[in-house]
Amino acid sequence: MQILVKKGKEEDVQGGLVVKFTAAKQGEQKFVQTSFAAQILEVGIGQAAEVTAEAIREATGIAVAFTQKLSLKMSIICDGGEHHIDRGFAIAEALLLATYVYDTYKKPKTQLGDVTLLCADARQVVRIEKGVARAAERNLGITLARNLVNAPPHDIHPEQLAQTARDIAKASKGRVKAKILERVDCEKLGMGAFLAVAQGSAYAPKFIHLTYTPTKPSKSSLAIVGKGITFDSGGLSLKPSASMATMKCDMGGAAAVLGLFSVITTLAPRYTVHGIIAAAENMPSGTAYRPGDIVRSANGKTIEVLDTDAEGRMTLADALDYATKLLPTAIVDLATLTGACIVGLGEEIAGLMCNDEALAVSLLAAAERAGEKLWEMPLEKRYRALLESDVADIRQIATSRYGGSLTAGLFLQEFVGTFPWAHLDIAGPAFAERPMSSYIGKGGTGYGVRTLVEFVQAFK
Ligand code: BES
Ligand code: ZN
Ligand code: ZN
């Protein structure tokens, strides 16, 4: 699908379907027969004063489904009064997200043809074109993340994540460097927690460190960490089959980091950005780590392993500690960390835990602008006692099964020192078992890429 922008009105359209957004209730559809060559689909986006970018994306998704069903050519009327919304951007983003398919193993039956965005006012054409271009750029990152999550777990091992990082560096004309630490390098750095998870798999772990450097030197820097478990079987604490079925999504955090880095040169932030992924596969085997093991993480703390399925926090412990050694202004991690987060917030909302008020505010605002749902949860100090171990510095999992996302967050906090840090538990929205909206279908959603892009653009 290509998105074309033209000056014109509905009467100019020769055949196909013309989509118009109206003041009707959000999502309301009306199919109108006309006297001229095209047919019209009206989709409600609400009264002018209450129109949101999300309403436009939803309406666009509805229009795509309708057009695909009838295999029609689509034109969308882009004229709209509100100035606080970039219509071209919102429509193009929804078009690109809605028409995404993972087609490596199955070709889609129908595909949307080219879509024309029409505006009556010639001056609007340029503005809409800019929005379309920005959406197309950002979509490259989202698509990369979705493809990585959707690929079957036999296609994505730690090496493939490392190769993706190398490819990003190669395409960046020197702006992004990729450093890959092998198992022996990680041993030298004392990453006992990360390596414990990796030791059950036949596929070697890779510790990935991407660095984007701005053209002018800058004092501030960000470290973005992504959970990169290419498949989570649970390890010896094996998951039941039904829960294991979607565990290729357990590198959704890593996918978001790689998605961000694939577009970072176009964002061109004026500060350094680090992307960190401790990539491993969590498998049961004769060499797998066991409940009862006590491992030492890179920051020196010993961890009492109790459930090998709580592997994400093990890998993140060493990844977060590595991040602190880069002395960043702030650390943000994204992880498909806990089923408890899905119990609490449902499938579409990610959880945020943060030790810094300003950082939390800017991430929540970025997610809001991006159209990704994020909700703050507390790093409750009293619950820290649930992680006290008799034999090690900390227990891997709490002694209570309640508040599992919060105790996981508290565990991670042990490895970030006093750095401003935010943890996004994306276990729910990283992978959609049912459509997430009219414009994001089943499978990998690319959750996090849009929020990270907005966040990186606003960060100073
Ligand atoms: N990768 C899972 C969390 C998950 C669940 C992600 C569902 C996406 C969808 C994580 O490694 C895990 O298994 N967590 C355990 C933690 C428990 C053993 C303390 C969980 O949530 O059950
Ligand atoms: Zn697990
Ligand atoms: Zn996991």
Side-chain angles (χ1 to χ4, degrees):
M1 175 201 59
Q2 272 214 41
I3 304 172
L4 315 162
V5 186
K6 281 189 192 150
K7 178 180 177 316
K9 296 201 198 72
E10 59 187 84
E11 293 84 5
D12 307 333
V13 178
Q14 293 299 312
L17 185 75
V18 175
V19 176
K20 277 166 79 173
F21 298 141
T22 67
K25 220 172 92 226
Q26 284 187 18
E28 207 171 274
Q29 304 172 39
K30 201 168 137 201
F31 189 49
V32 195
Q33 304 284 343
T34 62
S35 52
F36 56 95
Q39 327 223 35
I40 292 181
L41 175 70
E42 293 182 350
V43 190
I45 55 172
Q47 297 292 327
E50 65 186 46
V51 172
T52 58
E54 180 62 13
I56 292 177
R57 287 191 293 265
E58 272 290 332
T60 306
I62 290 169
V64 168
F66 195 93
T67 315
Q68 264 169 342
K69 221 185 313 174
L70 302 181
S71 329
L72 289 171
K73 196 168 83 90
M74 172 154 83
S75 306
I76 305 178
I77 306 295
C78 282
D79 306 305
E82 75 292 331
H83 294 290
H84 60 291
I85 298 168
D86 185 338
R87 273 205 183 204
F89 180 68
I91 293 170
E93 180 158 74
L95 283 173
L96 293 163
L97 288 168
T99 53
Y100 167 85
V101 273
Y102 176 70
D103 59 5
T104 309
Y105 291 94
K106 186 185 181 185
K107 299 296 164 213
K109 283 196 208 86
T110 54
Q111 255 174 315
L112 199 67
D114 293 350
V115 176
T116 310
L117 307 190
L118 287 175
C119 7
D121 182 351
R123 283 167 305 178
Q124 282 298 322
V125 171
V126 183
R127 185 164 174 253
I128 299 282
E129 268 171 349
K130 277 192 187 145
V132 172
R134 196 158 64 83
E137 250 163 41
R138 182 153 90 167
N139 194 253
L140 296 175
I142 305 170
T143 299
L144 174 68
R146 295 176 92 174
N147 285 342
L148 285 169
V149 169
N150 284 329
H154 62 75
D155 278 349
I156 306 282
H157 289 114
E159 168 54 26
Q160 280 71 37
L161 294 183
Q163 191 52 45
T164 305
R166 290 185 201 104
D167 293 345
I168 288 169
K170 204 165 171 193
S172 76
K173 302 202 178 85
R175 296 251 60 82
V176 177
K177 294 264 183 285
K179 181 166 147 191
I180 314 294
L181 305 182
E182 303 296 332
R183 194 193 308 260
V184 284
D185 306 313
C186 298
E187 274 164 9
K188 281 182 200 141
L189 294 173
M191 295 183 174
F194 167 48
L195 292 175
V197 172
Q199 76 191 35
S201 171
Y203 296 91
K206 304 280 163 178
F207 191 98
I208 303 163
H209 177 189
L210 284 161
T211 310
Y212 161 86
T213 317
T215 37
K216 283 188 210 136
S218 153
K219 276 199 195 118
S220 58
S221 64
L222 268 180
I224 321 251
V225 180
K227 173 175 170 181
I229 298 297
T230 59
F231 183 68
D232 182 11
S233 69
L236 289 175
S237 313
L238 199 66
K239 282 184 185 294
S241 313
S243 338
M244 207 190 292
T246 56
M247 279 305 131
K248 64 176 183 182
C249 80
D250 217 16
M251 29 60 76
V257 172
L258 292 168
L260 168 72
F261 270 81
S262 71
V263 298
I264 204 161
T265 53
T266 61
L267 305 176
R270 296 193 186 157
Y271 51 86
T272 302
V273 187
H274 299 282
I276 298 159
I277 298 161
E281 188 186 37
N282 187 24
M283 295 295 268
S285 76
T287 60
Y289 82 132
R290 320 151 188 83
D293 283 358
I294 300 174
V295 303
R296 191 180 293 279
S297 69
N299 82 343
K301 284 187 189 166
T302 54
I303 304 165
E304 180 188 2
V305 176
L306 292 139
D307 187 324
T308 61
D309 197 12
E311 83 299 335
R313 63 194 75 183
M314 304 291 287
T315 62
L316 287 167
D318 283 336
L320 289 169
D321 176 67
Y322 183 95
T324 63
K325 287 166 181 158
L326 303 167
L327 308 177
T329 317
I331 305 172
V332 177
D333 80 69
L334 296 95
T336 47
L337 202 64
T338 63
C341 198
I342 315 179
V343 173
L345 297 176
E347 290 166 290
E348 297 178 7
I349 307 173
L352 170 71
M353 274 153 270
C354 189
N355 65 3
D356 184 279
E357 179 69 26
L359 180 59
V361 168
S362 65
L363 276 162
L364 290 167
E368 173 71 31
R369 286 196 302 279
E372 294 186 318
K373 289 165 195 153
L374 182 64
W375 192 258
E376 191 169 7
M377 306 199 286
L379 283 165
E380 173 53 50
K381 285 195 187 70
R382 271 188 58 79
Y383 295 166
R384 174 62 182 77
L386 302 171
L387 293 170
E388 286 303 327
S389 165
D390 295 334
V391 291
D393 294 328
I394 191 169
R395 283 172 64 95
Q396 177 203 27
I397 57 170
T399 46
S400 162
R401 64 188 188 87
Y402 298 111
S405 309
L406 311 187
T407 50
L410 288 167
F411 177 92
L412 298 182
Q413 190 171 20
E414 293 294 310
F415 301 89
V416 296
T418 54
F419 285 87
W421 155 76
H423 159 59
L424 278 73
D425 192 331
I426 62 168
F431 189 85
E433 294 200 50
R434 62 197 97 252
M436 275 232 303
S437 60
S438 70
Y439 59 93
I440 297 183
K442 285 191 204 177
T445 60
Y447 186 97
V449 177
R450 292 189 282 155
T451 295
L452 285 177
V453 166
E454 291 291 339
F455 174 68
V456 163
Q457 276 177 328
F459 188 81
K460 285 200 181 81

